[in-house]
């Protein structure tokens, strides 16, 4: 019986961790939709998507959400500094905690280096 309790405990703990990761992913997506999608979303007339299409010519996807090369550090850098017509975002708009989730969300496709 003791063993069963332990196994149940481990199961519960790992579900909790998975749920926490899911909600960070969900928050990251929400923040992206609010602050980034107007420029980096799909559909016509999105200046970020158009600029990245021109910049990379298909070498990387024009959509940030499809990139596999982004790391959290790169995302944080651009969000806090801006580039060309992209404004930088203040901590009063995107908090450090929000930015952590956003950066993790966009770096989610990033293959972990071995
Ligand atoms: C006003 C439009 C606009 C908004 C809003 C915006 N961006 Fe951008 N972003 C751009 C443009 C345009 C570029 C390309 C600049 C260039 O020509 O290099 C860019 C470039 C980037 C890059 C660099 C990609 C690369 O490979 O060079 C990252 C990362 C990025 N944006 C992330 C974000 C994130 C995350 C958000 C939301 C917090 C965001 N951007 C919001 C317009 C925007």
């Amino acid at each position: 019986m003791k063993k069963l309790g332990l196994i149940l405990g481990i199961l519960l703990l790992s579900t909790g961790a998975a749920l926490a990761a899911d909600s960070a992913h969900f928050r990251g997506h929400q923040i992206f939709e609010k602050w980034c999608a107007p420029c980096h979303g799909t559909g016509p007339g999105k200046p970020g998507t158009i600029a990245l299409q021109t910049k990379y010519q298909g070498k990387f996807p024009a959509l940030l959400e499809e990139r596999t090369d982004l790391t959290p550090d790169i995302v944080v850098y651009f969000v806090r500094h801006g580039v060309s017509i992209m404004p930088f975002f203040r901590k009063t708009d995107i908090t450090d905690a929000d930015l952590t989730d956003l950066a993790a969300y966009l770096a989610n496709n990033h293959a972990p280096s071995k």
Side-chain angles (χ1 to χ4, degrees):
M1 247 358 232
K2 250 190 192 157
K3 226 180 192 169
L4 186 64
L6 186 69
I7 292 168
L8 276 177
I10 291 171
L11 272 178
L12 280 175
L13 272 179
S14 48
T15 333
L19 283 177
D22 273 2
S23 83
H25 183 85
F26 181 73
R27 288 225 8 94
H29 177 75
Q30 277 185 323
I31 296 157
F32 183 86
E33 287 301 318
K34 177 171 180 190
W35 295 103
C36 319
C39 286
H40 288 287
T42 48
K46 301 292 189 316
T49 304
I50 294 168
L52 293 178
Q53 177 62 45
T54 308
K55 181 176 174 185
Y56 292 120
Q57 302 286 326
K59 198 170 151 246
F60 293 111
L63 291 170
L64 289 182
E65 286 174 293
E66 291 180 1
R67 295 273 291 267
T68 54
D69 61 313
L70 294 175
T71 63
D73 286 350
I74 293 174
V75 176
V76 169
Y77 179 85
F78 280 103
V79 170
R80 288 293 181 229
H81 293 85
V83 55
S84 144
I85 64 149
M86 174 177 157
F88 66 88
F89 295 84
R90 294 169 203 276
K91 296 188 181 193
T92 44
D93 289 329
I94 300 179
T95 65
D96 282 337
D98 283 353
L99 185 50
T100 301
D101 287 350
L102 172 63
Y105 170 70
L106 287 178
N108 200 36
N109 294 328
H110 179 67
S113 50
K114 288 188 188 112

